[in-house]
Amino acid sequence: MLSIVSPSKAFELITKKCTKRVHDFSVLHISQSLGCVLAENVVSKIDIPGFDRSMIDGYAVRACDTFGASESMPSMLRLAGSVRMGESPVFELAPGECAFIPTGGQLPKGADSAVMQEYCQAPDSQTVIIEKPVAPGDHLIFRGDEVSSGLTLLESGTVINSGHIGAMASAGIPSVTVFRRPVVGIISTGDELVPAGSELSGAQMFDVNSDTLAACVREALGEPEVYGIIPDDADLLLAAAKEALIKCDMLIISGGSSVGLEDQTANIINRLGSPGVFLHGIAIKPGKPTIAGLVDDKPVFGLPGHPLSAFVVFKLFVAPLIRMMAGARKDERFPLRCALASDIASNHGREEIVMVKIEKREQRLIAHPLHAKSGMIGVLSSADGYIMVDRDAEGILENSEVDVYPI
Amino acid sequence: MLSIVSPSKAFELITKKCTKRVHDFSVLHISQSLGCVLAENVVSKIDIPGFDRSMIDGYAVRACDTFGASESMPSMLRLAGSVRMGESPVFELAPGECAFIPTGGQLPKGADSAVMQEYCQAPDSQTVIIEKPVAPGDHLIFRGDEVSSGLTLLESGTVINSGHIGAMASAGIPSVTVFRRPVVGIISTGDELVPAGSELSGAQMFDVNSDTLAACVREALGEPEVYGIIPDDADLLLAAAKEALIKCDMLIISGGSSVGLEDQTANIINRLGSPGVFLHGIAIKPGKPTIAGLVDDKPVFGLPGHPLSAFVVFKLFVAPLIRMMAGARKDERFPLRCALASDIASNHGREEIVMVKIEKREQRLIAHPLHAKSGMIGVLSSADGYIMVDRDAEGILENSEVDVYPI
């Protein structure tokens, strides 16, 4: 019999035992890659910019031709041509010459700097008067200044956002290799459960976990595979779990609330294969009756049947593992520093997860605890994040600063 | 000619002028609704729980039968039956009787409380010994305690997450009405632009904005419609914009960097229809040459051609409008309080948006400014959020606390 472990020990056990990662990948056009996990380092094949460019609208010049120029003693240069966007200038600047250049235009040969338009005048179509000196390199960006060919732009494991797509597009990278999402099977069990949309009869309850955990899996970068409600019968559950493990990379069985079902789930995981259950019970509230095991190298979780408990355990322990299996780097969602809106009672024996709703009041963030008074549905419908209250904590007073972890 | 306005004035103008919202909706099964915007208040049609339930594993009793019970003076009750999950008990408790009840089981008639299993012993199959008294209502949750029929669970405008799906599933709501995503047309223009995947020749550049803004539109709850690169020609641009406005709810034209293109975009918006351009120039860095107009009631933006400027202006001004058009309530992404990793230079004349990368160092969040040293691609590939540096600010010193807004 395994003993109950602390939440941090549970997390360590899960991440140490469950080391399998998704290796299959596909190649997508970058426009289709939003939210996918990079399966390769993205390396620039080009210098950026690809040529020496002007950063201003004005005139490309040889800096030495402008030395000492001022409003009262301007330099007078001959206009040798005009640089057009997207075209390499075909002319060169000789001493005493300049050329009109737009922002982003390619510097003509012979030029080594650019002068801003507002310091120039063009009395006729041949002549440009320069009223301010420039030094070589002024107002230019040189080939490769921003990115040189061979530089890594994005690392494998990046979860692609719009900025990443921008970086790839800037380097002209049209397509990208991304990991397949891990497939997570979801089984609900409990004789009292019926699907949403049914009429409730007797003391039945709706199956909440199938749809909720499926959405949680998607948020955690997985692909859910819902097997629906399996009757609370060891042989039926074993058969369903076996079938699911053929297709899925991970399996979640959320128990009904029947007495003894927790042990039944542990038995089923052990019967499915070895090494079997490695974690049974976490000293956390809610979520104590949580089971984790491995069947061959596939993680199998037994989550509490109570939807709020299953939700909390999923967010804390299962979601980070799915993200890891998906190849994503460490989850970098940052805690929000909030002021607590009302006292949290002292806590005895188990670390407690208190869900909160965040309110922005002027420049402050206020965290409203949702636990006791909101009920399960209030918590599920309103939670923005959670606070962790230490084991045997003395309670947290109103207005204390707390770290809220986004869900 | 319109004058340049402050960022806050620009935001106010945009949200005041652009009042059209998407009204079309569709009905989806809740399992398909993740990330959609609710187009109705979701109201519970049932009481939750639907019957008086036990919150513990133990025995349903009449509280008066346990008064004064203790280990040395236990109450001895007759076992009248056993409650099964999902079934309404067919028996009633007479005085002196009790019934086994699991967590979540329906309270039998006659019972008014439950005693935890650990305070009970069953010396034979007929008898239960109770060693602790309970008061009426102890360890029970009553019908409708959590949600009563008719209560609003979620409000119209909610962006549906896994918790919301959980709340709906708990109330047995199988499907939900959600808004259609607003369709946002994207036109890139600039004679120097070529699509990613092409070979660059001469002084050409890749079209970054088409793919980047499309991803930004998706992140902002819109549906992008990419029209690709249109040559920098007024008639061609006008024709493309006209066609796009037939299908799209909003149009974004991002200019190349050609001189004069900014004015050309303003002219095109005015030629497309009335009232035309209402905003031309924002006192912000980057992003000054931003244009906003209305053609009939459809917003049309002219964004700078420089990808980082277009990205910043999109995130600050366009994304919130798309979310509003999509029917979503005010964006509640909360600022992160971070310590600044390095000085930010003083600022003159325009409010400056400085993109930052956030690092978690022990219990502190550190914001690394990305502006000067990272280049455009560095910023796009690394930014987690941004700091707003006031107009004419004196600079911000290393280690100062700053508010970082997530992008």
Side-chain angles (χ1 to χ4, degrees):
Chain A
M1 187 65 188
L2 293 160
S3 57
I4 289 180
V5 298
S6 70
S8 57
K9 178 73 184 168
F11 190 83
E12 190 194 317
L13 267 172
I14 290 168
T15 51
K16 201 178 269 177
K17 297 271 184 182
C18 306
T19 54
K20 198 192 173 196
R21 301 291 177 260
V22 163
H23 289 295
D24 324 324
F25 54 82
S26 56
V27 177
L28 299 179
H29 188 269
I30 59 167
S31 64
Q32 303 305 312
S33 69
L34 187 67
C36 296
V37 179
L38 269 179
E40 58 177 352
N41 287 346
V42 172
V43 173
S44 180
K45 295 198 183 79
I46 58 170
D47 290 327
I48 301 172
F51 48 86
D52 302 345
R53 300 175 64 185
S54 175
M55 294 172 73
I56 53 165
D57 291 339
Y59 291 89
V61 297
R62 305 164 78 100
C64 59
D65 287 341
T66 70
F67 288 167
S70 67
E71 264 184 74
S72 52
M73 288 276 286
S75 300
M76 194 171 296
L77 303 179
R78 199 183 75 80
L79 186 66
S82 191
V83 175
R84 289 174 59 94
M85 288 303 292
E87 292 177 11
S88 294
V90 288
F91 55 88
E92 281 187 40
L93 293 197
E97 288 187 340
C98 70
F100 173 77
I101 193 164
T103 304
Q106 180 169 356
L107 198 72
K109 279 189 188 149
D112 61 9
S113 51
V115 186
M116 287 174 88
Q117 209 160 15
E118 40 263 66
Y119 301 114
C120 305
Q121 295 187 39
D124 59 55
S125 65
Q126 306 282 315
T127 317
V128 177
I129 290 173
I130 310 274
E131 298 176 338
K132 202 175 174 189
V134 285
D138 274 7
H139 305 306
L140 300 183
I141 176 168
F142 294 101
R143 177 179 181 140
D145 258 2
E146 188 165 343
V147 170
S148 54
S149 173
L151 189 87
T152 297
L153 301 180
L154 298 170
E155 285 179 13
S156 181
T158 299
V159 184
I160 298 170
N161 67 22
S162 55
H164 303 139
I165 289 176
M168 293 190 282
S170 302
I173 292 165
S175 59
V176 73
T177 306
V178 301
F179 286 119
R180 167 176 74 73
R181 290 186 157 219
V183 178
V184 179
I186 298 168
I187 290 174
S188 277
T189 180
D191 288 342
E192 76 281 22
L193 299 182
V194 295
S198 319
E199 284 291 315
L200 289 183
S201 71
Q204 292 175 329
M205 314 241 332
F206 292 115
D207 170 25
V208 177
N209 288 339
S210 287
D211 288 331
T212 310
L213 294 177
C216 289
V217 165
R218 284 206 178 88
E219 288 174 336
L221 305 176
E223 184 63 36
E225 183 75 32
V226 175
Y227 291 89
I229 305 163
I230 308 292
D232 184 359
D233 171 287
D235 291 333
L236 290 175
L237 272 171
L238 186 67
K242 261 192 182 145
E243 196 209 315
L245 278 176
I246 296 169
K247 176 168 184 186
C248 300
D249 300 295
M250 177 195 282
L251 178 61
I252 299 172
I253 303 169
S254 79
S257 15
S258 317
V259 174
L261 191 67
E262 186 188 332
D263 289 335
Q264 177 166 299
T265 303
N267 288 337
I268 285 168
I269 296 174
N270 284 329
R271 283 168 68 191
L272 278 167
S274 58
V277 173
F278 63 80
L279 169 72
H280 194 156
I282 304 177
I284 197 167
K285 186 177 161 188
K288 184 176 155 210
T290 294
I291 300 165
L294 269 179
V295 174
D296 300 319
D297 50 4
K298 296 184 177 180
V300 182
F301 285 91
L303 296 192
H306 188 272
L308 183 57
S309 303
F311 183 79
V312 167
V313 172
F314 186 96
K315 293 290 181 182
L316 267 75
F317 301 100
V318 185
L321 181 60
I322 297 176
R323 287 181 59 96
M324 279 183 231
M325 292 182 75
R329 276 178 307 187
K330 200 164 147 255
D331 190 6
E332 282 296 13
R333 278 172 307 172
F334 306 109
L336 290 159
R337 182 56 61 95
C338 298
L340 196 60
S342 57
D343 293 351
I344 291 180
S346 62
N347 186 24
H348 299 292
R350 284 194 274 161
E351 188 166 323
E352 188 171 355
I353 301 302
V354 178
M355 293 286 180
V356 300
K357 180 174 175 56
I358 300 173
E359 176 203 0
K360 197 170 163 187
R361 201 183 288 168
E362 284 149 29
Q363 287 309 304
R364 293 182 76 200
L365 297 181
I366 316 286
H368 296 268
L370 291 170
H371 198 62
K373 61 181 175 193
S374 325
M376 178 187 78
I377 291 183
V379 175
L380 288 172
S381 61
S382 322
D384 293 310
Y386 59 88
I387 299 169
M388 302 176 77
V389 183
D390 282 350
R391 201 184 148 177
D392 300 321
E394 270 306 308
I396 309 179
L397 292 176
E398 186 181 329
N399 278 323
S400 302
E401 289 225 313
V402 290
D403 272 337
V404 175
Y405 293 84
I407 52 167
Chain B
M1 189 64 188
L2 293 159
S3 57
I4 290 180
V5 298
S6 70
S8 58
K9 178 73 185 168
F11 190 82
E12 191 194 318
L13 267 171
I14 290 168
T15 50
K16 203 178 269 177
K17 298 269 185 184
C18 305
T19 54
K20 198 193 173 193
R21 302 290 178 259
V22 163
H23 288 295
D24 324 324
F25 53 83
S26 56
V27 177
L28 299 179
H29 189 268
I30 58 168
S31 63
Q32 303 304 312
S33 70
L34 187 67
C36 298
V37 180
L38 269 180
E40 59 176 354
N41 287 343
V42 172
V43 173
S44 180
K45 295 199 183 79
I46 58 170
D47 290 327
I48 301 171
F51 48 87
D52 302 344
R53 300 174 63 186
S54 174
M55 295 172 73
I56 54 165
D57 291 338
Y59 290 88
V61 297
R62 306 165 77 101
C64 59
D65 286 342
T66 69
F67 288 166
S70 68
E71 264 184 77
S72 52
M73 287 277 286
S75 301
M76 194 171 298
L77 303 180
R78 198 184 74 81
L79 186 65
S82 191
V83 175
R84 290 173 60 94
M85 286 305 289
E87 292 177 11
S88 294
V90 289
F91 55 87
E92 281 186 41
L93 294 197
E97 289 186 339
C98 69
F100 172 77
I101 193 164
T103 304
Q106 179 168 358
L107 197 72
K109 280 187 189 153
D112 61 10
S113 51
V115 186
M116 288 174 88
Q117 208 158 18
E118 41 264 66
Y119 301 113
C120 304
Q121 293 187 43
D124 60 58
S125 64
Q126 306 283 316
T127 316
V128 178
I129 290 173
I130 310 274
E131 297 175 340
K132 204 177 170 188
V134 284
D138 275 5
H139 305 307
L140 299 184
I141 176 168
F142 294 100
R143 175 177 183 144
D145 259 1
E146 189 165 343
V147 171
S148 54
S149 172
L151 190 87
T152 298
L153 302 179
L154 299 170
E155 284 178 16
S156 181
T158 299
V159 184
I160 299 170
N161 67 22
S162 55
H164 303 140
I165 290 175
M168 292 190 283
S170 302
I173 292 165
S175 59
V176 74
T177 307
V178 301
F179 286 118
R180 166 176 74 75
R181 290 186 157 220
V183 178
V184 179
I186 298 168
I187 290 175
S188 277
T189 180
D191 288 341
E192 76 280 20
L193 298 182
V194 295
S198 319
E199 284 291 316
L200 289 184
S201 72
Q204 291 174 330
M205 315 237 335
F206 293 115
D207 170 26
V208 177
N209 287 340
S210 287
D211 288 331
T212 310
L213 294 178
C216 288
V217 165
R218 284 207 179 86
E219 287 174 338
L221 305 176
E223 185 61 37
E225 183 75 33
V226 174
Y227 291 90
I229 305 163
I230 308 293
D232 185 358
D233 172 285
D235 292 333
L236 289 175
L237 272 171
L238 186 68
K242 262 193 184 144
E243 195 208 316
L245 278 176
I246 296 169
K247 176 167 185 187
C248 299
D249 300 295
M250 178 195 282
L251 178 61
I252 299 172
I253 302 169
S254 78
S257 15
S258 316
V259 174
L261 191 67
E262 189 187 330
D263 290 334
Q264 177 165 300
T265 303
N267 289 337
I268 285 168
I269 295 175
N270 283 329
R271 284 169 66 191
L272 278 167
S274 59
V277 173
F278 61 81
L279 169 72
H280 194 155
I282 304 176
I284 197 169
K285 186 177 160 189
K288 185 176 152 210
T290 294
I291 300 166
L294 268 180
V295 174
D296 300 318
D297 50 3
K298 295 181 177 180
V300 182
F301 285 92
L303 297 192
H306 188 273
L308 183 55
S309 303
F311 183 79
V312 167
V313 171
F314 185 96
K315 294 290 183 182
L316 266 76
F317 300 100
V318 185
L321 181 61
I322 297 175
R323 287 180 60 95
M324 280 182 232
M325 291 182 75
R329 276 178 306 188
K330 202 164 146 255
D331 190 6
E332 284 295 15
R333 278 173 307 173
F334 305 109
L336 291 159
R337 184 54 62 94
C338 298
L340 196 61
S342 56
D343 294 350
I344 290 180
S346 63
N347 186 24
H348 299 293
R350 282 194 276 161
E351 187 165 325
E352 188 170 356
I353 301 302
V354 178
M355 293 285 182
V356 300
K357 182 174 173 56
I358 300 172
E359 176 203 359
K360 196 168 162 187
R361 201 183 287 166
E362 286 150 27
Q363 288 308 304
R364 293 182 75 200
L365 297 181
I366 316 287
H368 296 269
L370 293 169
H371 197 62
K373 61 182 175 195
S374 324
M376 180 187 78
I377 291 183
V379 175
L380 288 172
S381 61
S382 323
D384 292 311
Y386 59 87
I387 300 169
M388 302 176 79
V389 184
D390 281 349
R391 201 185 149 175
D392 301 321
E394 272 306 307
I396 308 178
L397 293 176
E398 185 181 329
N399 277 324
S400 301
E401 289 225 314
V402 289
D403 272 338
V404 175
Y405 293 85
I407 54 166

